[in-house]
Amino acid sequence: MATSLKQEIDQSQSLSVDGLNPEMVISVGGDGTLLSAFHHYQDISDRIRMVGIHTGHLGFYTDWRDYEVSELVDSLEHDNGQSVTYPLLDIRVNYVTGGLADVGLALNESTLKQINGTMVADLYIKNQLFESFRGDGLCVSTPSGSTAYNKSVGGAIINPLLNAIQVAEISSINNRVFRTLGSPLIIAPDEWIKVVLKSSGQTILTCDHQVISTEPIASIEYRISKRRIAFAQYRHTQFWRRVSNSFIGRAKADD
């Protein structure tokens, strides 16, 4: 598949392959492959647009099928810069040992989980204490990532046209002694989330499909990034049609 795509690009009079400073990044595979491509080029994400070719069923980030290579190359040759952009998630990690903080950028989500015992953490919204959490962990997602792990833990699905992030609890403890809100939180663009860990157990912090750190964490800050991911909009599938086709299974005749 990738070989036939490169052959068609090589035969084009107006296109060329540049793996170091591309204007367009084409991912061949599934949504996981596109996530890997995004992180590979995230340092220049403000200068590129993404295109996804799916080799299986249509994904949330992949508009083209593997048998449509010729049509895609034709669209690339007649490109006029059209694009659609989605919000990204900024992550800042402060460690118990001090020193420089780590930073991350997520397209889908970041999760914080404790692997031994109950995770205890204070959750702040815009520097104001909101709740004390006890449970397995937390999932903070972007709108485009709301259909991924966030959905499996009971989070809401958010249209990526909304510039927001979401916090969903993972197996929270709610009884007469301990209580959390117990429902997802949608965070506005001028707000941010800070998670201050209180438990001493080992935690795992992820950014999309990658583990950021297993070091002792003091706190994590999440906010909507000023950067956005851009997709070349040749025929970008309408979001709610993607949701319906993926989870309900009814193909629509029109958008």
Side-chain angles (χ1 to χ4, degrees):
M1 171 62 219
T3 301
S4 63
L5 173 62
K6 186 178 184 304
Q7 288 174 345
E8 295 223 19
I9 292 176
D10 288 340
Q11 293 170 6
S12 171
Q13 299 297 315
S14 58
L15 303 175
S16 62
V17 176
D18 184 348
L20 295 178
N21 295 289
E23 297 177 4
M24 194 88 66
V25 174
I26 303 175
S27 165
V28 180
D31 285 343
T33 307
L34 191 139
L35 281 171
S36 296
F38 163 73
H39 283 286
H40 183 78
Y41 289 103
Q42 72 176 43
D43 290 341
I44 58 170
S45 60
D46 57 336
R47 306 199 306 268
I48 63 173
R49 287 175 294 155
M50 308 288 293
V51 174
I53 301 177
H54 210 296
T55 53
H57 298 291
L58 187 67
F60 275 91
Y61 295 121
T62 51
D63 290 307
W64 297 84
R65 297 298 300 272
D66 51 359
Y67 52 79
E68 298 176 313
V69 171
S70 296
E71 291 87 340
L72 171 57
V73 172
D74 182 70
S75 295
L76 292 171
E77 290 176 328
H78 296 88
D79 176 68
N80 63 3
Q82 65 269 49
S83 66
V84 58
T85 66
Y86 289 167
L88 297 170
L89 175 68
D90 274 339
I91 308 165
R92 182 179 178 86
V93 189
N94 302 299
Y95 294 103
V96 171
T97 54
L100 293 176
D102 276 342
V103 294
L105 185 67
L107 173 55
N108 268 3
E109 78 277 310
S110 171
T111 64
L112 178 65
K113 297 180 181 179
Q114 186 157 314
I115 60 176
N116 51 348
T118 300
M119 189 179 92
V120 181
D122 287 341
L123 180 66
Y124 291 79
I125 301 177
K126 207 172 181 179
N127 292 333
Q128 180 175 350
L129 179 62
F130 179 76
E131 67 178 17
S132 292
F133 172 84
R134 284 174 171 80
D136 287 352
L138 295 167
C139 174
V140 183
S141 63
T142 65
S144 58
S146 65
T147 58
Y149 186 68
N150 165 78
K151 180 179 180 297
S152 71
V153 297
I157 294 179
I158 303 177
N159 192 313
L161 294 177
L162 298 177
N163 197 31
I165 57 175
Q166 179 173 186
V167 183
E169 300 174 355
I170 305 173
S171 301
S172 60
I173 297 175
N174 285 285
N175 52 37
R176 290 185 299 173
V177 180
F178 307 120
R179 183 151 302 277
T180 64
L181 185 64
S183 62
L185 302 173
I186 311 299
I187 306 303
D190 65 338
E191 298 177 325
W192 59 91
I193 293 292
K194 184 175 183 179
V195 180
V196 179
L197 283 169
K198 298 295 184 180
S199 51
S200 57
Q202 185 179 7
T203 55
I204 294 179
L205 177 66
T206 70
C207 173
D208 291 332
H209 56 299
Q210 303 171 334
V211 175
I212 295 181
S213 177
T214 58
E215 297 296 319
I217 295 173
S219 64
I220 309 168
E221 298 173 19
Y222 296 103
R223 65 180 70 221
I224 298 170
S225 177
K226 294 180 180 179
R227 301 163 65 182
R228 295 172 69 90
I229 185 173
F231 290 89
Q233 191 180 26
Y234 301 125
R235 59 171 192 185
H236 204 70
T237 307
Q238 197 267 353
F239 177 73
W240 293 117
R241 181 175 181 177
R242 291 175 187 269
V243 174
S244 177
N245 289 347
S246 296
F247 298 111
I248 302 174
R250 292 199 304 266
K252 306 290 185 179
D254 51 58
D255 291 338

mmCIF file of all heavy atoms in Angstrom, residues 206-237:
data_model
loop_
_atom_site.group_PDB
_atom_site.id
_atom_site.type_symbol
_atom_site.label_atom_id
_atom_site.label_comp_id
_atom_site.label_asym_id
_atom_site.label_seq_id
_atom_site.Cartn_x
_atom_site.Cartn_y
_atom_site.Cartn_z
ATOM 1 N N THR A 206 0.173 8.542 30.838
ATOM 2 C CA THR A 206 0.262 8.310 29.401
ATOM 3 C C THR A 206 -0.129 9.562 28.622
ATOM 4 O O THR A 206 -0.878 10.415 29.116
ATOM 5 C CB THR A 206 -0.647 7.158 28.945
ATOM 6 O OG1 THR A 206 -2.031 7.564 29.052
ATOM 7 C CG2 THR A 206 -0.421 5.920 29.784
ATOM 8 N N CYS A 207 0.383 9.635 27.406
ATOM 9 C CA CYS A 207 0.001 10.663 26.432
ATOM 10 C C CYS A 207 -0.332 9.914 25.152
ATOM 11 O O CYS A 207 0.563 9.349 24.514
ATOM 12 C CB CYS A 207 1.145 11.650 26.210
ATOM 13 S SG CYS A 207 0.859 12.847 24.896
ATOM 14 N N ASP A 208 -1.621 9.877 24.798
ATOM 15 C CA ASP A 208 -2.102 9.028 23.715
ATOM 16 C C ASP A 208 -1.682 7.588 24.014
ATOM 17 O O ASP A 208 -1.982 7.082 25.074
ATOM 18 C CB ASP A 208 -1.596 9.531 22.362
ATOM 19 C CG ASP A 208 -2.257 10.861 21.971
ATOM 20 O OD1 ASP A 208 -3.393 11.089 22.413
ATOM 21 O OD2 ASP A 208 -1.646 11.658 21.248
ATOM 22 N N HIS A 209 -0.978 6.921 23.136
ATOM 23 C CA HIS A 209 -0.614 5.517 23.342
ATOM 24 C C HIS A 209 0.773 5.373 23.949
ATOM 25 O O HIS A 209 1.296 4.258 24.059
ATOM 26 C CB HIS A 209 -0.668 4.764 22.012
ATOM 27 C CG HIS A 209 0.199 5.375 20.945
ATOM 28 N ND1 HIS A 209 0.022 6.657 20.485
ATOM 29 C CD2 HIS A 209 1.256 4.878 20.266
ATOM 30 C CE1 HIS A 209 0.920 6.922 19.560
ATOM 31 N NE2 HIS A 209 1.690 5.867 19.406
ATOM 32 N N GLN A 210 1.381 6.473 24.398
ATOM 33 C CA GLN A 210 2.744 6.434 24.914
ATOM 34 C C GLN A 210 2.766 6.669 26.424
ATOM 35 O O GLN A 210 2.009 7.501 26.938
ATOM 36 C CB GLN A 210 3.603 7.504 24.236
ATOM 37 C CG GLN A 210 3.639 7.401 22.713
ATOM 38 C CD GLN A 210 4.315 8.603 22.068
ATOM 39 O OE1 GLN A 210 4.340 9.682 22.640
ATOM 40 N NE2 GLN A 210 4.859 8.408 20.878
ATOM 41 N N VAL A 211 3.620 5.964 27.129
ATOM 42 C CA VAL A 211 3.843 6.209 28.556
ATOM 43 C C VAL A 211 4.823 7.359 28.700
ATOM 44 O O VAL A 211 5.944 7.302 28.188
ATOM 45 C CB VAL A 211 4.383 4.951 29.261
ATOM 46 C CG1 VAL A 211 4.733 5.272 30.717
ATOM 47 C CG2 VAL A 211 3.374 3.820 29.197
ATOM 48 N N ILE A 212 4.385 8.433 29.358
ATOM 49 C CA ILE A 212 5.268 9.584 29.576
ATOM 50 C C ILE A 212 6.219 9.303 30.722
ATOM 51 O O ILE A 212 7.427 9.520 30.624
ATOM 52 C CB ILE A 212 4.457 10.856 29.895
ATOM 53 C CG1 ILE A 212 3.604 11.268 28.714
ATOM 54 C CG2 ILE A 212 5.393 11.999 30.283
ATOM 55 C CD1 ILE A 212 2.797 12.522 28.970
ATOM 56 N N SER A 213 5.665 8.821 31.849
ATOM 57 C CA SER A 213 6.517 8.678 33.028
ATOM 58 C C SER A 213 5.909 7.713 34.020
ATOM 59 O O SER A 213 4.688 7.578 34.131
ATOM 60 C CB SER A 213 6.709 10.030 33.710
ATOM 61 O OG SER A 213 7.479 9.885 34.887
ATOM 62 N N THR A 214 6.790 7.006 34.730
ATOM 63 C CA THR A 214 6.413 6.213 35.896
ATOM 64 C C THR A 214 7.119 6.739 37.143
ATOM 65 O O THR A 214 7.092 6.113 38.192
ATOM 66 C CB THR A 214 6.779 4.726 35.676
ATOM 67 O OG1 THR A 214 8.183 4.623 35.416
ATOM 68 C CG2 THR A 214 6.005 4.138 34.512
ATOM 69 N N GLU A 215 7.781 7.909 37.012
ATOM 70 C CA GLU A 215 8.461 8.533 38.148
ATOM 71 C C GLU A 215 7.435 9.114 39.125
ATOM 72 O O GLU A 215 6.303 9.415 38.745
ATOM 73 C CB GLU A 215 9.389 9.647 37.651
ATOM 74 C CG GLU A 215 10.513 9.177 36.752
ATOM 75 C CD GLU A 215 11.481 8.249 37.476
ATOM 76 O OE1 GLU A 215 11.798 8.536 38.646
ATOM 77 O OE2 GLU A 215 11.880 7.240 36.883
ATOM 78 N N PRO A 216 7.812 9.271 40.407
ATOM 79 C CA PRO A 216 6.884 9.860 41.385
ATOM 80 C C PRO A 216 6.456 11.267 40.963
ATOM 81 O O PRO A 216 7.290 12.153 40.790
ATOM 82 C CB PRO A 216 7.712 9.889 42.683
ATOM 83 C CG PRO A 216 8.738 8.815 42.494
ATOM 84 C CD PRO A 216 9.082 8.829 41.041
ATOM 85 N N ILE A 217 5.157 11.465 40.799
ATOM 86 C CA ILE A 217 4.609 12.723 40.287
ATOM 87 C C ILE A 217 4.004 13.539 41.432
ATOM 88 O O ILE A 217 3.268 13.009 42.266
ATOM 89 C CB ILE A 217 3.534 12.450 39.210
ATOM 90 C CG1 ILE A 217 4.187 11.778 37.990
ATOM 91 C CG2 ILE A 217 2.829 13.727 38.794
ATOM 92 C CD1 ILE A 217 3.185 11.308 36.958
ATOM 93 N N ALA A 218 4.313 14.825 41.448
ATOM 94 C CA ALA A 218 3.713 15.727 42.434
ATOM 95 C C ALA A 218 2.388 16.272 41.915
ATOM 96 O O ALA A 218 1.375 16.258 42.630
ATOM 97 C CB ALA A 218 4.672 16.871 42.753
ATOM 98 N N SER A 219 2.390 16.775 40.672
ATOM 99 C CA SER A 219 1.165 17.335 40.109
ATOM 100 C C SER A 219 1.244 17.338 38.583
ATOM 101 O O SER A 219 2.332 17.266 38.006
ATOM 102 C CB SER A 219 0.935 18.768 40.613
ATOM 103 O OG SER A 219 1.967 19.633 40.162
ATOM 104 N N ILE A 220 0.079 17.438 37.965
ATOM 105 C CA ILE A 220 -0.027 17.516 36.506
ATOM 106 C C ILE A 220 -1.002 18.628 36.163
ATOM 107 O O ILE A 220 -2.065 18.756 36.793
ATOM 108 C CB ILE A 220 -0.530 16.199 35.893
ATOM 109 C CG1 ILE A 220 0.290 15.017 36.403
ATOM 110 C CG2 ILE A 220 -0.483 16.256 34.369
ATOM 111 C CD1 ILE A 220 -0.324 13.691 36.060
ATOM 112 N N GLU A 221 -0.656 19.431 35.169
ATOM 113 C CA GLU A 221 -1.548 20.484 34.685
ATOM 114 C C GLU A 221 -1.970 20.172 33.254
ATOM 115 O O GLU A 221 -1.137 19.829 32.409
ATOM 116 C CB GLU A 221 -0.845 21.842 34.743
ATOM 117 C CG GLU A 221 -0.462 22.263 36.155
ATOM 118 C CD GLU A 221 0.391 23.520 36.173
ATOM 119 O OE1 GLU A 221 0.395 24.252 35.166
ATOM 120 O OE2 GLU A 221 1.078 23.744 37.187
ATOM 121 N N TYR A 222 -3.266 20.294 33.006
ATOM 122 C CA TYR A 222 -3.828 20.066 31.676
ATOM 123 C C TYR A 222 -4.543 21.323 31.217
ATOM 124 O O TYR A 222 -5.308 21.934 31.974
ATOM 125 C CB TYR A 222 -4.843 18.923 31.705
ATOM 126 C CG TYR A 222 -4.296 17.567 32.064
ATOM 127 C CD1 TYR A 222 -4.500 17.029 33.342
ATOM 128 C CD2 TYR A 222 -3.615 16.801 31.127
ATOM 129 C CE1 TYR A 222 -4.027 15.772 33.667
ATOM 130 C CE2 TYR A 222 -3.147 15.537 31.437
ATOM 131 C CZ TYR A 222 -3.355 15.025 32.714
ATOM 132 O OH TYR A 222 -2.882 13.778 33.029
ATOM 133 N N ARG A 223 -4.320 21.694 29.964
ATOM 134 C CA ARG A 223 -5.068 22.815 29.398
ATOM 135 C C ARG A 223 -5.133 22.669 27.882
ATOM 136 O O ARG A 223 -4.353 21.933 27.282
ATOM 137 C CB ARG A 223 -4.449 24.152 29.788
ATOM 138 C CG ARG A 223 -3.066 24.427 29.237
ATOM 139 C CD ARG A 223 -2.582 25.802 29.716
ATOM 140 N NE ARG A 223 -2.299 25.820 31.143
ATOM 141 C CZ ARG A 223 -2.617 26.838 31.946
ATOM 142 N NH1 ARG A 223 -3.208 27.919 31.458
ATOM 143 N NH2 ARG A 223 -2.316 26.797 33.229
ATOM 144 N N ILE A 224 -6.076 23.374 27.270
ATOM 145 C CA ILE A 224 -6.187 23.377 25.825
ATOM 146 C C ILE A 224 -4.954 24.046 25.240
ATOM 147 O O ILE A 224 -4.575 25.140 25.657
ATOM 148 C CB ILE A 224 -7.468 24.109 25.369
ATOM 149 C CG1 ILE A 224 -8.696 23.388 25.917
ATOM 150 C CG2 ILE A 224 -7.538 24.222 23.851
ATOM 151 C CD1 ILE A 224 -9.977 24.152 25.723
ATOM 152 N N SER A 225 -4.342 23.364 24.291
ATOM 153 C CA SER A 225 -3.122 23.898 23.698
ATOM 154 C C SER A 225 -3.434 25.054 22.749
ATOM 155 O O SER A 225 -4.520 25.122 22.162
ATOM 156 C CB SER A 225 -2.401 22.787 22.928
ATOM 157 O OG SER A 225 -1.250 23.287 22.295
ATOM 158 N N LYS A 226 -2.482 25.945 22.613
ATOM 159 C CA LYS A 226 -2.593 27.001 21.613
ATOM 160 C C LYS A 226 -2.344 26.447 20.210
ATOM 161 O O LYS A 226 -2.682 27.082 19.219
ATOM 162 C CB LYS A 226 -1.605 28.128 21.914
ATOM 163 C CG LYS A 226 -1.910 28.873 23.212
ATOM 164 C CD LYS A 226 -0.899 29.983 23.460
ATOM 165 C CE LYS A 226 -1.212 30.720 24.757
ATOM 166 N NZ LYS A 226 -0.221 31.791 25.039
ATOM 167 N N ARG A 227 -1.747 25.265 20.157
ATOM 168 C CA ARG A 227 -1.506 24.595 18.879
ATOM 169 C C ARG A 227 -2.700 23.708 18.531
ATOM 170 O O ARG A 227 -3.424 23.249 19.417
ATOM 171 C CB ARG A 227 -0.230 23.763 18.953
ATOM 172 C CG ARG A 227 0.997 24.597 19.297
ATOM 173 C CD ARG A 227 2.146 23.743 19.774
ATOM 174 N NE ARG A 227 2.649 22.847 18.747
ATOM 175 C CZ ARG A 227 3.633 21.974 18.960
ATOM 176 N NH1 ARG A 227 4.205 21.883 20.148
ATOM 177 N NH2 ARG A 227 4.055 21.197 17.990
ATOM 178 N N ARG A 228 -2.913 23.452 17.251
ATOM 179 C CA ARG A 228 -3.990 22.593 16.784
ATOM 180 C C ARG A 228 -3.441 21.665 15.702
ATOM 181 O O ARG A 228 -2.460 21.987 15.041
ATOM 182 C CB ARG A 228 -5.158 23.422 16.229
ATOM 183 C CG ARG A 228 -5.839 24.280 17.284
ATOM 184 C CD ARG A 228 -6.853 25.220 16.663
ATOM 185 N NE ARG A 228 -8.010 24.529 16.135
ATOM 186 C CZ ARG A 228 -9.113 24.265 16.836
ATOM 187 N NH1 ARG A 228 -9.192 24.633 18.109
ATOM 188 N NH2 ARG A 228 -10.124 23.642 16.287
ATOM 189 N N ILE A 229 -4.080 20.534 15.534
ATOM 190 C CA ILE A 229 -3.715 19.641 14.446
ATOM 191 C C ILE A 229 -4.576 19.982 13.238
ATOM 192 O O ILE A 229 -5.773 20.281 13.377
ATOM 193 C CB ILE A 229 -3.889 18.155 14.831
ATOM 194 C CG1 ILE A 229 -3.390 17.250 13.705
ATOM 195 C CG2 ILE A 229 -5.330 17.844 15.202
ATOM 196 C CD1 ILE A 229 -3.363 15.774 14.064
ATOM 197 N N ALA A 230 -3.982 19.984 12.057
ATOM 198 C CA ALA A 230 -4.690 20.319 10.822
ATOM 199 C C ALA A 230 -4.759 19.098 9.916
ATOM 200 O O ALA A 230 -3.765 18.389 9.721
ATOM 201 C CB ALA A 230 -3.999 21.471 10.096
ATOM 202 N N PHE A 231 -5.945 18.837 9.373
ATOM 203 C CA PHE A 231 -6.153 17.779 8.397
ATOM 204 C C PHE A 231 -6.501 18.416 7.056
ATOM 205 O O PHE A 231 -7.299 19.363 7.007
ATOM 206 C CB PHE A 231 -7.287 16.849 8.819
ATOM 207 C CG PHE A 231 -6.953 15.982 10.006
ATOM 208 C CD1 PHE A 231 -7.186 16.428 11.294
ATOM 209 C CD2 PHE A 231 -6.410 14.725 9.821
ATOM 210 C CE1 PHE A 231 -6.882 15.639 12.391
ATOM 211 C CE2 PHE A 231 -6.096 13.921 10.910
ATOM 212 C CZ PHE A 231 -6.328 14.378 12.195
ATOM 213 N N ALA A 232 -5.917 17.897 5.983
ATOM 214 C CA ALA A 232 -6.275 18.370 4.648
ATOM 215 C C ALA A 232 -7.732 18.006 4.386
ATOM 216 O O ALA A 232 -8.116 16.841 4.463
ATOM 217 C CB ALA A 232 -5.369 17.737 3.603
ATOM 218 N N GLN A 233 -8.543 18.990 4.098
ATOM 219 C CA GLN A 233 -9.989 18.779 3.988
ATOM 220 C C GLN A 233 -10.410 18.649 2.524
ATOM 221 O O GLN A 233 -11.002 19.548 1.944
ATOM 222 C CB GLN A 233 -10.757 19.931 4.654
ATOM 223 C CG GLN A 233 -12.240 19.649 4.802
ATOM 224 C CD GLN A 233 -12.961 20.801 5.461
ATOM 225 O OE1 GLN A 233 -12.524 21.936 5.377
ATOM 226 N NE2 GLN A 233 -14.063 20.522 6.118
ATOM 227 N N TYR A 234 -10.100 17.498 1.942
ATOM 228 C CA TYR A 234 -10.573 17.238 0.592
ATOM 229 C C TYR A 234 -12.008 16.719 0.629
ATOM 230 O O TYR A 234 -12.858 17.094 -0.152
ATOM 231 C CB TYR A 234 -9.663 16.229 -0.105
ATOM 232 C CG TYR A 234 -8.232 16.696 -0.197
ATOM 233 C CD1 TYR A 234 -7.187 15.928 0.293
ATOM 234 C CD2 TYR A 234 -7.916 17.936 -0.756
ATOM 235 C CE1 TYR A 234 -5.877 16.354 0.208
ATOM 236 C CE2 TYR A 234 -6.610 18.378 -0.840
ATOM 237 C CZ TYR A 234 -5.594 17.582 -0.352
ATOM 238 O OH TYR A 234 -4.301 18.015 -0.423
ATOM 239 N N ARG A 235 -12.272 15.838 1.571
ATOM 240 C CA ARG A 235 -13.628 15.305 1.741
ATOM 241 C C ARG A 235 -13.797 14.801 3.174
ATOM 242 O O ARG A 235 -14.210 13.677 3.420
ATOM 243 C CB ARG A 235 -13.890 14.174 0.754
ATOM 244 C CG ARG A 235 -12.910 13.015 0.906
ATOM 245 C CD ARG A 235 -13.327 11.835 0.061
ATOM 246 N NE ARG A 235 -12.563 10.663 0.439
ATOM 247 C CZ ARG A 235 -12.654 9.516 -0.208
ATOM 248 N NH1 ARG A 235 -13.449 9.406 -1.249
ATOM 249 N NH2 ARG A 235 -11.945 8.481 0.181
ATOM 250 N N HIS A 236 -13.413 15.636 4.121
ATOM 251 C CA HIS A 236 -13.393 15.245 5.527
ATOM 252 C C HIS A 236 -14.788 14.797 5.967
ATOM 253 O O HIS A 236 -15.755 15.548 5.864
ATOM 254 C CB HIS A 236 -12.916 16.416 6.378
ATOM 255 C CG HIS A 236 -12.332 15.990 7.678
ATOM 256 N ND1 HIS A 236 -11.127 15.327 7.777
ATOM 257 C CD2 HIS A 236 -12.784 16.114 8.944
ATOM 258 C CE1 HIS A 236 -10.859 15.079 9.044
ATOM 259 N NE2 HIS A 236 -11.843 15.540 9.765
ATOM 260 N N THR A 237 -14.888 13.557 6.463
ATOM 261 C CA THR A 237 -16.180 12.990 6.841
ATOM 262 C C THR A 237 -16.766 13.716 8.045
ATOM 263 O O THR A 237 -16.080 13.959 9.031
ATOM 264 C CB THR A 237 -16.019 11.490 7.176
ATOM 265 O OG1 THR A 237 -15.378 10.835 6.086
ATOM 266 C CG2 THR A 237 -17.381 10.855 7.411
#
